[in-house]
Amino acid sequence: MAVEQEDGERPPTPQGEGRRRFLRRHWLALLAGLLSVLLLLGGTLAWLAYRKLNGNIETDAATVTLLGPESDRPTRTADTAENILLIGSDDRSGANGAYGSTAGQRSDTVILLHLAADGRRATAVSVPRDVMVTVPPCELPDGTRTRGGLAQFNAAFDTGGPACTIRTVEQLSGIRIDHHMIVDFTGFKRMVDAVGGVEVCVPTEIHDRDAHLDLPAGRQLLHGEQALGWVRVRESLGNGSDTDRMGRQQQFLAALIRKVQSQGVLLNPTRLWPLLDAATSSITADPGLSRLGALYDLAQRLRSMAPSDIVFLTTPRRPYRFNANRDEFVQPQTDQLFAALRADRVVAVRPSAGPSAEQSGGSGARPAPDPSAGPGPSTGRTPGPTPRPTPGVTPAPTAGSGPGTPSGTGAPGTPAPLEGRTADQPDACAAG
């Protein structure tokens, strides 16, 4: 006699089993199709994003040609150390017109960034815009040449563009510049906004109409417009010198690097994409750096470095003996600094002991005054007009210490620690 099976224990019918196999196969096929579409869509979006970011970067191909023959330039180092010239332009055209109507453009900020061959160190050296140097004759895009001669350093950019600035730095330092990047006011603001602002220490209350800056004292989170005013302000903070301003710029860059290295930016797509978009849109670079891949590699190198191994300083300078509103290099410290960079040696820095640099949040790398250098630093130094290069000879300075002294041969030895800062150095607010 047959035994009835309880409900739920009946064996599946051939029709039911076939239906389940059919649905399972079709669901797997549908899932595979959806995954293929998502992968294709993701790949397409990634390709479009890459094209957009890569297309944002403006390429400066003319400068390579204007630099002249290889025989006129320092020898390229055989190792993997790199030297990049970062130029902050004060071009007032287009969106930058809100900051004045001065014709032409000058190198408001010039930083020589040395990336060590071991990939573990970076040294950023600010070159004062007011330092008196011998600007070499430079070729212009129209085929003419500038006359060259004794002038303020930033006149090289005004008269001959980035090529003339690079030639001047190479003549002064004997360092081969491998790449260059130019960033203007508007681009700087966009990058600061993209990371959500940068925190700085404001030593005293500031109201500066020229710099578009109104800030209370204390620790402040600065966004684009305020950040630009902070790195540009001059007369109303510190002793009014460009050296003090360079100290603030170095402090700000150190804080910006720390912010970009933080997980809040690098692992946050809503912040990372605007940063990449702003950075690539703000940069004019030589062909070797005007690719997203090259900039990514550069960012990765900096990201992998410990903040304590990223050093900021200014070339040793003092008031120019014939005009206290200008600067001149101090020797042999300047030659020794450039020689250390050429040899890829560590450059040691120490915090400033001077009150003005501490108030500015930075340092000017100024050795003790030399009695032979003429008048000391002037309070409230005024920038004065920017002289154009003219033929001339530096009036009989002390050997090896005058403006424009070629440093290509270098001075032996390593300089004693110069005034400067590392990217992890606490500011005056933290110290207080």
Side-chain angles (χ1 to χ4, degrees):
M1 182 173 61
V3 180
E4 288 190 10
Q5 293 183 340
E6 296 182 5
D7 291 344
E9 295 182 0
R10 291 189 212 129
T13 63
Q15 295 86 355
E17 181 64 25
R19 186 180 300 112
R20 280 193 289 272
R21 284 199 299 268
F22 174 83
L23 290 175
R24 190 161 51 243
R25 285 197 303 268
H26 280 73
W27 273 113
L28 289 174
L30 180 61
L31 182 59
L34 285 173
L35 288 175
S36 299
V37 170
L38 289 175
L39 289 173
L40 179 61
L41 181 61
T44 301
L45 290 176
W47 178 74
L48 290 174
Y50 178 87
R51 283 198 61 184
K52 183 191 186 309
L53 294 175
N54 205 54
N56 285 345
I57 309 167
E58 185 174 345
T59 302
D60 176 15
T63 292
V64 177
T65 303
L66 296 175
L67 285 173
E70 287 287 318
S71 58
D72 291 346
R73 305 184 62 194
T75 304
R76 192 185 301 274
T77 55
D79 56 29
T80 56
E82 280 190 296
N83 297 293
I84 303 172
L85 201 65
L86 309 177
I87 303 173
S89 167
D90 70 350
D91 178 19
R92 309 300 170 91
S93 62
N96 297 315
Y99 304 99
S101 56
T102 305
Q105 57 180 355
R106 282 146 297 281
S107 50
D108 202 55
T109 300
V110 172
I111 296 176
L112 172 59
L113 177 63
H114 175 80
L115 302 174
D118 62 11
R120 298 178 180 176
R121 297 177 287 110
T123 306
V125 180
S126 297
V127 182
R129 54 173 287 170
D130 292 338
V131 70
M132 299 300 292
V133 298
T134 300
V135 177
C138 298
E139 185 177 350
L140 300 177
D142 63 5
T144 61
R145 291 179 68 83
T146 63
R147 299 177 67 185
L150 184 65
Q152 279 180 240
F153 172 69
N154 70 338
F157 193 81
D158 187 22
T159 58
C164 201
T165 300
I166 292 171
R167 282 178 54 82
T168 303
V169 171
E170 289 186 341
Q171 174 179 278
L172 290 170
S173 65
I175 295 172
R176 171 65 173 253
I177 303 301
D178 301 298
H179 301 289
H180 70 277
M181 287 194 295
I182 305 170
V183 181
D184 64 14
F185 289 161
T186 304
F188 175 84
K189 292 193 303 180
R190 288 189 61 201
M191 284 190 284
V192 173
D193 282 337
V195 299
V198 173
E199 192 176 75
V200 300
C201 173
V202 181
T204 59
E205 187 177 7
I206 302 174
H207 301 285
D208 193 299
R209 184 167 51 187
D210 291 339
H212 299 242
L213 193 63
D214 288 282
L215 289 174
R219 194 174 297 283
Q220 306 293 336
L221 180 67
L222 304 186
H223 294 277
E225 191 69 45
Q226 291 177 319
L228 179 61
W230 172 255
V231 298
R232 292 183 65 230
V233 67
R234 180 165 174 164
E235 282 82 4
S236 60
L237 187 61
N239 66 10
S241 71
D242 191 51
T243 299
D244 265 10
R245 179 165 63 176
M246 285 185 292
R248 285 191 300 280
Q249 292 169 353
Q250 293 166 5
Q251 178 203 30
F252 190 90
L253 287 175
L256 179 60
I257 288 173
R258 291 195 300 269
K259 187 69 175 285
V260 172
Q261 286 181 329
S262 71
Q263 292 185 349
V265 173
L266 295 176
L267 298 183
N268 186 343
T270 61
R271 286 192 176 180
L272 182 58
W273 172 260
L275 175 61
L276 293 175
D277 188 36
T280 53
S281 300
S282 308
I283 291 172
T284 299
D286 65 275
L289 269 187
S290 60
R291 297 175 293 103
L292 186 60
L295 290 177
Y296 176 81
D297 290 342
L298 173 60
Q300 285 295 97
R301 290 180 70 177
L302 290 172
R303 179 174 175 261
S304 65
M305 297 177 186
S308 58
D309 291 325
I310 301 176
V311 172
F312 297 89
L313 72 157
T314 301
T315 48
R317 41 71 54 198
R318 62 189 173 200
Y320 181 39
R321 65 198 65 196
F322 300 105
N323 183 347
N325 290 320
R326 302 289 177 262
D327 291 329
E328 67 182 30
F329 292 128
V330 172
Q331 299 296 355
Q333 290 95 326
T334 297
D335 277 353
Q336 290 173 343
L337 169 61
F338 289 144
L341 294 178
R342 288 196 305 272
D344 198 24
R345 295 198 298 266
V346 174
V347 175
V349 295
R350 56 180 172 79
S352 169
S356 64
E358 177 63 24
Q359 289 172 358
S360 306
S363 165
R366 292 180 65 175
D370 185 334
S372 68
S378 157
T379 302
R381 296 171 65 199
T382 56
T386 300
R388 299 292 182 104
T390 54
V393 179
T394 305
T398 304
S401 64
T405 301
S407 302
T409 56
T414 300
L418 298 170
E419 289 183 5
R421 65 180 303 113
T422 56
D424 65 339
Q425 180 179 321
D427 54 32
C429 290

